[in-house]
Amino acid sequence: MPALILASTSPYRRELLARLRLPFEAVASQVDETALPGEAPAALAERLALTKARAVAAQRPGAVVIGSDQVADLDGEAIGKPGTHEVATAQLRRMSGREVVFQTAVAVVAPGLAAIERAEVRVRFRELSDAAIEAYLKADRPYDCAGSAKVESLGIALLEAVVSDDPTALIGLPLIRTCALLRRAGLEPLA
């Protein structure tokens, strides 16, 4: 069996991929995640997922490499990882009472294969008071999450609805699509 590599050091993606019970290692891709001028959020997520997978595959010929990226899309504008409390506060204020589309892309690069899939997750935020935003940010500290919310944790309390056909996509790795791509690369999670 070829080596399976996750081109990410994200603890969220590592935890999700571990659900498939395939042995893998996680390797940082060292890819610049800056959006190109005029690049749409969906295109950005796809480009970064594929670029991350290709960067690690170039270092590990013969391996099956998974790259993934997520970009929150608010009215066509990419909303990234906040990094700080102040930015997270501003992001959640902007998303309050609004629908945000989380674009989560996954790519698999292997000998003879470079394929990508994207899952859209529509998330409707409830109306959020400044006190609710502050309480949430102090509790969850989601500064490394696109859109400043961890749905797998207390962030679920910020939401009114989540619509997706790939339930793990919102956490950062759409496992239904990942399984399909791994099968195309010759790895069967149920083997």
Side-chain angles (χ1 to χ4, degrees):
M1 184 169 101
L4 179 60
I5 301 172
L6 176 63
S8 174
T9 56
S10 161
Y12 312 109
R13 289 191 179 104
R14 281 196 316 261
E15 186 178 302
L16 288 169
L17 187 57
R19 292 182 188 184
L20 300 182
R21 301 182 184 181
L22 293 169
F24 73 94
E25 62 181 294
V27 175
S29 63
Q30 305 300 327
V31 167
D32 179 3
E33 297 189 15
T34 305
L36 300 174
E39 189 171 32
L44 173 61
E46 289 179 358
R47 179 178 61 81
L48 291 177
L50 189 57
T51 302
K52 290 173 182 181
R54 283 185 169 148
V56 172
Q59 302 167 19
R60 299 288 297 273
V64 175
V65 182
I66 300 168
S68 187
D69 199 78
Q70 181 178 78
V71 178
D73 178 344
L74 180 61
D75 298 331
E77 179 187 342
I79 306 294
K81 299 172 185 171
T84 68
H85 186 86
E86 294 73 27
V87 173
T89 300
Q91 284 183 355
L92 290 173
R93 282 179 180 153
R94 283 189 64 208
M95 295 184 296
S96 176
R98 311 270 313 274
E99 180 177 88
V100 178
V101 180
F102 285 79
Q103 305 285 356
T104 307
V106 60
V108 170
V109 173
L113 178 69
I116 189 161
E117 296 278 342
R118 182 173 43 84
E120 283 191 0
V121 182
R122 295 190 172 281
V123 175
R124 192 168 56 252
F125 282 80
R126 64 185 185 82
E127 292 288 339
L128 302 171
S129 67
D130 284 348
I133 290 170
E134 187 66 18
Y136 169 69
L137 291 176
K138 284 184 177 178
D140 244 4
R141 305 182 54 81
Y143 309 126
D144 62 344
C145 297
S148 303
K150 292 183 187 179
V151 72
E152 68 276 21
S153 187
L154 187 58
I156 198 74
L158 302 173
L159 310 179
E160 287 182 347
V162 176
V163 178
S164 175
D165 66 355
D166 202 331
T168 60
L170 189 53
I171 302 170
L173 185 64
L175 286 179
I176 292 172
R177 286 167 174 79
T178 301
C179 286
L181 291 172
L182 289 175
R183 286 185 196 100
R184 287 180 60 188
L187 293 178
E188 171 54 64
L190 295 175

